[in-house]
Amino acid sequence: MQKHTKHGIIKLYKFKSPDYMFSVIVKAIIVALCAYITFSCVNMITNKKIKVAASKELMETGNMLAQEILENSNIMTQYMIYLENHKDIAEDAKKRILTTVVTDYIAKSEYTYDTSDPAYSQVINILYENMKTENQIAKKEVETTAKPVETTVKNNEKNNNKKKRNKAIVPLPKKSGKLYTEKNIGSFKEVINRFYTVTNATTIKESDMPIKQALNKEFKITGNNKKPQILIYHTHSMEDFSNTTKDEDTTIIGVGNRLAQILREQFGYNVIHDKTKYDIVNGKLDRHEAYTQSKAGVKKQLKKYPSISLILDIHRDGVNDGTRLVTEINGKKTAQIMFFNGMSRFKLSGDIDYLKNPYRFENLALGLQMKVNAECYYPGFTRRNYVNAYEYNLSLGKQCMLIEVGAQTNTYQEAKNAAEPLAVLIKKVLGE
């Protein structure tokens, strides 16, 4: 019933009986309960699906990160070497140490990952189980060697692959020499007198390499091995040794091969080894334009792979025929090496304008840090750092080194052996 007033239409309701009202209320309650139950069921099913999906996503994330660590770092290799040297550690302690090591890796990685994420425990578990599996494989190989048994072709292949992976593993050194720091290394003059040979053609000043700043300068191989990180090349690719054959691997290129192998297989870096013969012109040996040609070649590599952060020009020196640059490391006859710096400066006329090097301090600092670490871990392995007048393509980057590995009087085996401690020094200075 409606009634018209000046304020509009007012609805008028007839009075209903109590029984009728009660039935309406009961129906309303039933409808509400049904709606609530339906909503709760739907919500419960939805939440369960969300939790399952979230759990699955966390598992996938954990698996993915664990795989990345296994493929792109030397964590497992270093961790297993550590455990091998500390066999009495309890299982729970092993896991705690692994957690610390992996967390540190993630913190330094270019990727971000929340270690409070529940999937993080999954990452540790995957890595830990991988470590145990690797140890079990290694033990089986030892048992197979001790007790000859018949094996299938498949098992033989697995063992051969394992041995192949371990072929490039270099023992990590302990401190066996003097550890130099800014507190005990001495003055600039003392450092030059102790560690350097400066030719009469050039000069090096304290302002070129302030010792404290040089020792504290941070160097790092950036990125991960999904993209190239290190470039090895040879301005003088035809340099050979006392017993070099027609095989390219017995020349300085063979030293580059061995260095690249260790940096890849033991330390997990992505390495490009440029074997271009920059000192061959029209089919003949010609070193007059070798540095010009190699600089152009390296620039092309850097343009193609801007992720490269360490550039190594590997040479061998030329010495008097009676000179033998040999030491012994890990029971092997090993060629001594030398870090080479160019000042782009003549002693009399000053800086060479057409050979400017904006990274002179970084080059010198890196060479000093490599030398100091060598004195600590491999005393007798390195010769005095050599400083000469020209630029030697060291302006190509802040992390750029020219390294002389042995000389023509060394055997190529001695030179290739030198790649092993050299790789460890690179890892210590630029990777730790």
Side-chain angles (χ1 to χ4, degrees), residues 241-243 317 319-338 378-384 404-418 421:
F241 298 97
S242 62
N243 61 340
D317 203 0
V319 297
N320 294 330
D321 289 339
T323 300
R324 289 273 289 144
L325 305 173
V326 183
T327 186
E328 186 172 305
I329 297 176
N330 296 324
K332 300 177 182 179
K333 287 186 177 181
T334 303
Q336 294 173 303
I337 69 170
M338 180 173 71
Y378 299 110
F381 174 49
T382 55
R383 301 159 64 192
R384 297 168 70 89
E404 301 273 5
V405 179
Q408 85 281 5
T409 54
N410 287 102
T411 66
Y412 71 82
Q413 292 95 339
E414 292 167 346
K416 291 176 78 169
N417 288 342

Side-chain angles (χ1 to χ4, degrees), residues 203-220:
T203 59
I204 181 171
K205 307 170 186 176
E206 188 169 359
S207 58
D208 297 322
M209 188 180 66
I211 300 302
K212 182 177 179 180
Q213 289 92 317
L215 288 177
N216 291 322
K217 175 66 179 175
E218 183 177 343
F219 295 101
K220 183 180 180 182

Side-chain angles (χ1 to χ4, degrees), residues 162-176:
K162 177 68 178 177
K163 290 174 183 176
K164 186 177 179 181
R165 289 201 302 272
N166 287 342
K167 188 177 180 182
I169 298 299
V170 178
L172 298 182
K174 296 179 180 179
K175 294 176 182 177
S176 55

Side-chain angles (χ1 to χ4, degrees), residues 84-268:
E84 183 65 25
N85 295 329
H86 301 79
K87 294 180 179 180
D88 55 341
I89 295 179
E91 290 296 314
D92 59 336
K94 291 178 182 179
K95 215 163 190 179
R96 287 199 303 272
I97 293 169
L98 180 60
T99 302
T100 302
V101 172
V102 174
T103 302
D104 182 62
Y105 167 79
I106 292 171
K108 294 178 180 179
S109 172
E110 65 179 12
Y111 297 99
T112 57
Y113 187 84
D114 183 8
T115 54
S116 64
D117 191 313
Y120 187 55
S121 60
Q122 175 72 5
V123 175
I124 300 300
N125 287 333
I126 293 171
L127 294 174
Y128 190 67
E129 290 303 316
N130 179 275
M131 179 273 298
K132 292 202 314 190
T133 302
E134 290 287 330
N135 278 340
Q136 288 168 1
I137 292 173
K139 286 179 181 177
K140 285 180 181 178
E141 287 174 1
V142 173
E143 291 170 359
T144 302
T145 304
K147 294 181 179 180
V149 294
E150 292 184 6
T151 57
T152 63
V153 174
K154 186 175 182 180
N155 286 336
N156 281 333
E157 287 178 355
K158 181 186 287 188
N159 290 339
N160 289 335
N161 289 336
K162 177 68 178 177
K163 290 174 183 176
K164 186 177 179 181
R165 289 201 302 272
N166 287 342
K167 188 177 180 182
I169 298 299
V170 178
L172 298 182
K174 296 179 180 179
K175 294 176 182 177
S176 55
K178 184 170 183 179
L179 175 62
Y180 287 98
T181 67
E182 60 184 79
K183 293 182 179 179
N184 67 4
I185 198 169
S187 66
F188 172 78
K189 185 176 180 180
E190 290 171 325
V191 170
I192 297 300
N193 289 338
R194 184 184 299 122
F195 294 141
Y196 285 81
T197 295
V198 183
T199 68
N200 290 328
T202 192
T203 59
I204 181 171
K205 307 170 186 176
E206 188 169 359
S207 58
D208 297 322
M209 188 180 66
I211 300 302
K212 182 177 179 180
Q213 289 92 317
L215 288 177
N216 291 322
K217 175 66 179 175
E218 183 177 343
F219 295 101
K220 183 180 180 182
I221 298 171
T222 58
N224 61 41
N225 70 2
K226 292 180 181 178
K227 295 180 180 180
Q229 299 167 288
I230 301 172
L231 172 65
I232 297 172
Y233 75 104
H234 310 275
T235 294
H236 296 158
S237 65
M238 300 302 291
E239 288 176 330
D240 56 11
F241 298 97
S242 62
N243 61 340
T244 292
T245 67
K246 293 181 179 180
D247 185 356
E248 181 183 71
D249 197 53
T250 65
T251 69
I252 193 64
I253 289 178
V255 178
N257 288 337
R258 181 61 173 155
L259 180 60
Q261 180 189 20
I262 299 165
L263 290 171
R264 288 185 189 118
E265 294 184 20
Q266 179 163 347
F267 298 124

Side-chain angles (χ1 to χ4, degrees), residues 7-60:
H7 299 294
I9 300 173
I10 297 177
K11 291 184 178 180
L12 300 177
Y13 297 93
K14 293 181 179 179
F15 177 75
K16 303 290 184 181
S17 68
D19 291 340
Y20 175 80
M21 293 299 294
F22 178 75
S23 65
V24 170
I25 292 171
V26 169
K27 289 178 181 178
I29 291 172
I30 292 172
V31 170
L33 283 172
C34 290
Y36 175 76
I37 292 169
T38 302
F39 176 79
S40 297
C41 290
V42 171
N43 193 44
M44 189 183 301
I45 294 169
T46 303
N47 285 341
K48 187 175 182 180
K49 287 182 178 179
I50 290 172
K51 287 180 180 178
V52 170
S55 176
K56 185 178 180 182
E57 185 176 346
L58 291 176
M59 288 280 286
E60 289 175 353

